[in-house]
Amino acid sequence: GNKIHMSREYGNAKISPHQTEHVESDPNADDTRSESSPQATPDLADMPLGQRSTTTHSPHQTPPHQRFSRRATAVPLGKESTVLLALFKMLSNPQPIPTKRPVCEVKLAKVSRRDVSLLVGGLLYLLREELSEEDAIDKWASTYKAIEEMSDKNKEFKVTMIAFCKKNLGDTQKWAKGKLFVAAGLSIVDMITDVTMIFEYIGNQQWGFAWVTLGSLCFNLFLQSFVTFFQNRAKPKRRQLREQIYIWTLVKSGVDAFRLASGSEQEEGQVFGPQAEFTLGKTIELIAEAIPGTIIQLAAILKAGSKMTHTAIFSLAFSMLTAAFTSAITSWDWDVSKINRKDAPSYYGYIPDDVVGKIKVFVSLYCLSLFNLFVRAFACVLFA
């Protein structure tokens, strides 16, 4: 019969299949063989090269292009600038906050894209757990070796990350931001209740308590107005007028809290930054209005025989709550200050790092301030 010689060349190797004789076969036999084996194995020599390659791995095996992409996530990024760019790029996109702090102990030179994802998760976790962006960034740098190396090489790294977190990741700082707005809300409601009590004293013909309460409120507003003028004296007249309107409409505390929560920095020409301005305003309210208001309203109830109206009870409670909360957060801010802990480590530093310990300390500070204010105000009224 006729003999067929087949040859195929792959690179430098030449493959020559064995020679076979062409034997005429019965067509019925071929039909019987095809029916008995419906899933006949195709000849690889007659299949296209692309189709032949896909049959060399099992369906459960990862295709080669996917195996390469997974390996690429573990390849070190190399340069510090590349790692920094990957961090900012991943932080700019919405990321889920992990329930547990991710672990990543690689050094900066070996950071891969997978490690960048772990570092970003660690930052988001710490932003949720810590009370400020500064504390979160410091804990981030001390926890992860790669971030510590980057902060040592680049002195502006922490400052840049703090500004970025305040501007873009403020939602993760729920406790720190909520604390500011709670304090501002208490102050605004306290001043509104004081105004309400003034009209109630006038209606009850208690002019002495009305004038004293009005004097306390005006003294608070005048002091804040002077501080605001001193703070913005280098600003245009329109800016100064706007700041004064905030004070006399009783919303200055809310404006200061919003500026501090949104990450505003100290502007050129200002004497102090948003944190100092907020703390000073709360201190003025505590000394000039909250504590005197508590004593005045308690004296009106115990000494003058005023009726125990719902407005009087509500106003007295708010004055005490505002004073206690202001005192607690002021002590808190002074203790967590890095400068204070460095200058007086034997006095500052009583607030622990864990969340449960922080809650216990804050509740203790608040209750201590509240009971201390009530006992002293009660003693002042009794011995007056």
Side-chain angles (χ1 to χ4, degrees), residues 175-189:
W175 160 250
K177 305 304 182 288
K179 176 189 64 162
L180 299 175
F181 288 108
V182 168
L186 288 174
S187 298
I188 294 173
V189 176

Side-chain angles (χ1 to χ4, degrees), residues 158-169:
K158 286 187 177 182
V159 179
T160 305
M161 290 303 302
I162 291 172
F164 180 85
C165 292
K166 287 184 177 181
K167 208 167 196 60
N168 300 283
L169 303 176

